[in-house]
Amino acid sequence: MSAIIELGGVRKTYRSGAVEFEALRGIDIRIDTGEYVAVIGPSGSGKSTLMNILGCLDVPTEGHYVLAGEDTSSLDEAELAAIRNRRIGFVFQQFHLLPSMSALRNVELPLIYAGLSRADRRERAAEALAKVGLAERLDHRPGELSGGQQQRVAVARALVTEPALLLADEPTGNLDSRSTRDVLGLLDELHDAGRTIVLITHEQDVAARAGRSLVIDDGLITSDRATAAAPAGATS
Amino acid sequence: MSWWETVRSGLAAIRAHRLRSALTVLGIVIGISSVILTVGLGQGAQQEVEDQIDALGSNLLIVSPGSSTDSSGNRGGFGSASTLTLADAAAIADEDAVPDASGVAPTTSSSVSLVSGDTNWTTSLVGTTTAWPDVRSRELSAGRFFTAAEAEQGAAVAVIGPDTASELFGVQSPVGQQVSVNGTRITVIGVLVSSGASSSGTSEDDVAVVPVGTASRLIGSTSTTVSTIYVAAVDEDVLAAAHQEVQALLANRHGVSTVDADFSIATQDSLVETANETNRTFTVLLGGVAGISLLVGGIGVMNIMLVSVTERVREIGLRKALGAAPRVIRRQFLVEASLLGLTGGLVGILIGVVGAQLLPRFIDQAVSISLVATLAALATSLALGVGFGVYPAGRAARLTPIDALRSE
């Protein structure tokens, strides 16, 4: 298996006036293509900082981060934006759909920034929505969809660029138990289809769906183990 | 992201907040339409004055009593400045003294009542010589002008303007009719051709022209002073020369220097200049006020764009997370602000043009729309959008995606 993510000696320090705060204190992680990894940790553990760095939303103060063969440590904002667009699909806790746009337009959004033609965008966005089971809801606005459906639109948006990495930040945090099962089931399917998924959560039972869990505490990885109850299809 | 795509998403954002966008645009609409209308009013007034003065003839010198202090004012009290006489006019008519003059028409002017049957009409009585039609470039539509012999005798004949004719006689032919002035009967021998539209109170088309002696008799005056001497130069090229000759001659006759002369000589150019100066002052003044409202409109656009950036922090964060580079975000907000400005400009021009068509119906004033002013207004509104969009757009572009996504 080739490594899709390689973090080496990653540190992140925040400065606020004279006060320094070390959110990450030396993280080394290697994630292979097709892995389904859960990152678990209480709030304040450095979990969000790690997610930001993995998502190229932020750069480490020290250390290096190689994503799909590209070292991202020295890139500027515009280059990071391009990497996010091509390599990473985000699923957020708050869905982050644009309320004034239809589901289809929402899913098209990353393709607009990728510079695809309108016809191509339509086709691929409709395809991605069909894949998450929303082929009948293309023209619905987020306000007309249930929470679970909204999150599935967000998953479709994350998939539409065929990214190397699907990064899900507490994707079930705002969902009821039925929608939670729904969305986690979708992630399982994607994993079975060979996607690399990093899931950030503080819920043990959500993390249990992944094949591998990383526990982060106080800016350090304290545990890295294959999950005993790994569902069928875990290939790592 | 293509420009077309950016414009589309800008339009979508503007549509999403219709009321807010409309209110923002309102400032620019008012600014642009008032700029167009004030400039149009100024130019319309200027054109009208130029047309009127053109009708006087471009080779005309107008000699008036009273000294000229500058191009726009006469010194000398009412009635006290009747320093021009028939003898002065006769002297100017002397070919040796003023070789560049082709005609001289002294005129007296007073207001009289003309009575025809039971119709009574007050008009201005102009007493003059036979040179008057040539010097003033006036023609007759019917009848004839008075002859030298009639002028000599002070015959009881009059040539009347077309307005006067229709007021006194309606559709009847005025030639050969009698009118009475202060009890004296005079015969109408001719009717003038209209001198063209005039919006000023004293119409050139409402006059009764009589020999100068007749005029004195009718109003019971024995004075030989005249109110104006019109001098026609041979042609436009020698107008300046004629001006100097008349000035020197009159100064000599009156025993004054040309610096503190007791008369003034105006040309068509100096009249145009005076009128235009007044118009320009008004145009600049009103245009300035309109410009300020444009500026306020621009600040309105900036205000709304700043609100929009604050309100859409999460959207900006999401767009950045999905791969929008800072430059793309900046462009999006700039395009949005420009579209607001441009929309305001277009609506403002529409209102301005419609206003220019409607306004002359309510006020007696032509409004001319200038293409240059319209294009400048459009460019200004676009520039306002871009100019006042730069700061909010920069703010949006600088937001970091993490902070933006996390904001509630």
Side-chain angles (χ1 to χ4, degrees), chain A residues 9-12 21-29 41-47 49-50 215-222:
Chain A
V10 165
R11 289 171 177 276
K12 182 72 192 178
F21 171 68
E22 239 187 350
L24 297 179
R25 303 189 296 152
I27 302 253
D28 303 277
I29 304 174
S43 59
S45 59
K47 188 175 54 163
T49 308
L50 181 60
V215 179
I216 181 167
D217 198 10
D218 202 15
L220 288 170
I221 300 287
T222 55

Side-chain angles (χ1 to χ4, degrees), chain A residues 4 33 67-68 82-90 107-108 110-111 114 116 120 123-129 131 154-167 190 193-196, chain B residues 322:
Chain A
I4 191 135
T33 306
L67 173 65
I83 294 261
R84 289 196 292 269
N85 184 250
R86 283 202 317 274
R87 302 283 191 211
I88 303 167
F90 289 97
V107 176
E108 273 183 49
L111 299 178
L116 260 71
D120 285 353
E123 194 188 323
R124 284 179 61 174
E127 222 170 78
L129 278 166
K131 219 180 277 177
V155 171
R157 182 180 63 194
L159 290 174
V160 77
T161 52
E162 303 281 330
L165 168 67
L166 190 69
L167 197 55
L190 291 170
R195 294 254 161 230
T196 312
Chain B
L322 296 182

Side-chain angles (χ1 to χ4, degrees), chain B residues 213-271:
Chain B
T214 314
S216 305
R217 197 151 43 81
L218 287 172
I219 59 171
S221 157
T222 53
S223 159
T224 56
T225 58
V226 295
S227 54
T228 310
I229 302 174
Y230 293 98
V231 182
V234 174
D235 60 45
E236 239 178 290
D237 299 334
V238 298
L239 190 66
H243 186 284
Q244 282 185 350
E245 288 158 12
V246 172
Q247 196 171 34
L249 176 74
L250 288 179
N252 191 27
R253 283 177 60 86
H254 294 189
V256 295
S257 74
T258 54
V259 183
D260 56 17
D262 56 354
F263 59 89
S264 63
I265 304 173
T267 61
Q268 184 210 21
D269 279 352
S270 69
L271 290 178

Side-chain angles (χ1 to χ4, degrees), chain A residues 10-71:
Chain A
V10 165
R11 289 171 177 276
K12 182 72 192 178
T13 312
Y14 292 109
R15 254 185 212 89
S16 148
V19 185
E20 275 194 10
F21 171 68
E22 239 187 350
L24 297 179
R25 303 189 296 152
I27 302 253
D28 303 277
I29 304 174
R30 184 195 145 103
I31 295 172
D32 288 330
T33 306
E35 269 194 284
Y36 186 176
V37 181
V39 176
I40 316 165
S43 59
S45 59
K47 188 175 54 163
S48 296
T49 308
L50 181 60
M51 137 97 189
N52 290 337
I53 286 175
L54 285 175
C56 291
L57 294 166
D58 206 349
V59 286
T61 319
E62 233 178 84
H64 70 271
Y65 170 28
V66 179
L67 173 65
E70 239 171 315
D71 192 343

